């Protein structure tokens, strides 16, 4: 969904042709969580059309993210299939990705996939104790961390005290 208020965190293309290219690139999914598109993740940053040269900019969710190479290849393939055979995909590391770039759709899809979405960053300057991580299976807030690292380094492993199910928490960063 396109939000009415455009912020820097969620850049949008400016022309109709760039929009069309954006929409093709936006069909590429995260190989680790295939329900999430790179648009949901906020990984898709910019589409630039200069003459017939297409350039797409993406930012990995964390540095050294192994999924970024697969995403880059998938964007090139998707664009080639839709008539843009010479697209360039640049990996942009600054500004660094933050969980704030994850869309509301993306958060809902993560939870439906069984991964607790990152809790929003605290703005009151308080220390985030990791409280209030909701179990994606039963919705209970009675959860606790088992390990700082889950199935990948950007996730932590939690267990629900109510339904006893373990789950990944997509860490805020
Ligand atoms: Zn539970």
């Amino acid at each position: 969904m396109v939000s009415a208020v455009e912020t820097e965190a969620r850049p949008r293309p400016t022309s109709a042709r760039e929009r069309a290219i954006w929409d093709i690139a936006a069909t590429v999914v995260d190989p680790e969580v295939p329900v999430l598109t790179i648009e949901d993740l906020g990984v898709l940053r910019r589409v630039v059309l200069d003459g017939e040269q297409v350039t797409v900019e993406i930012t990995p969710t964390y540095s050294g993210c192994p999924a970024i190479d697969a995403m880059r290849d998938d964007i090139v393939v998707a664009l080639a299939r839709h008539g843009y055979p010479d697209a360039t995909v640049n990996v942009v590391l600054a500004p660094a990705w933050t969980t704030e770039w994850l869309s509301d759709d993306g958060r809902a899809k993560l939870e439906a996939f069984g991964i607790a979405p990152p809790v929003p960053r605290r703005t009151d300057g308080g220390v985030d104790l990791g409280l209030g991580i909701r179990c994606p299976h039963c919705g209970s807030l009675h959860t606790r961390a088992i390990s700082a690292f889950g199935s990948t380094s950007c996730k932590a492993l939690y267990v629900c005290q109510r339904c006893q199910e373990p789950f990944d928490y997509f860490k805020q960063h």
Side-chain angles (χ1 to χ4, degrees):
M1 294 299 293
V2 179
S3 98
V5 180
E6 296 187 7
T7 66
E8 202 184 343
R10 307 208 59 73
R12 301 293 308 181
T14 51
S15 74
R17 286 195 71 202
E18 284 179 355
R19 167 64 58 100
I21 295 162
W22 174 286
D23 287 345
I24 296 162
T27 61
V28 170
V29 297
D30 180 353
E32 289 170 3
V33 187
V35 292
L36 282 183
T37 70
I38 58 172
E39 183 180 39
D40 293 328
L41 277 167
V43 161
L44 180 58
R45 304 305 300 159
R46 217 152 79 92
V47 166
V48 177
L49 183 63
D50 182 9
E52 292 305 307
Q53 176 59 48
V54 174
T55 305
V56 176
E57 291 180 359
I58 54 176
T59 297
T61 53
Y62 59 99
S63 59
C65 176
I68 201 74
D69 290 331
M71 293 176 186
R72 174 164 49 192
D73 292 348
D74 288 350
I75 293 167
V76 170
V77 169
L79 288 172
R81 220 178 259 152
H82 288 85
Y84 301 96
D86 299 312
T88 300
V89 179
N90 292 331
V91 176
V92 177
L93 298 178
W97 184 89
T98 100
T99 40
E100 306 294 299
W101 293 1
L102 196 61
S103 71
D104 291 343
D105 271 4
R107 288 172 189 276
K109 287 179 186 176
L110 265 180
E111 194 160 27
F113 193 68
I115 298 174
V119 293
R121 194 184 297 275
R122 282 182 68 149
T123 52
D124 59 5
V127 177
D128 197 318
L129 297 173
L131 299 174
I133 308 300
R134 192 159 59 132
C135 171
H137 306 296
C138 74
S140 172
L141 289 170
H142 292 278
T143 60
R144 66 184 174 84
I146 299 175
S147 164
F149 296 101
S151 60
T152 65
S153 59
C154 64
K155 302 183 191 80
L157 187 61
Y158 272 67
V159 69
C160 176
Q161 322 252 52
R162 188 168 99 183
C163 72
Q164 310 297 325
E165 288 290 328
F167 62 91
D168 271 345
Y169 165 57
F170 198 118
K171 285 185 279 192
Q172 175 214 85
H173 74 269

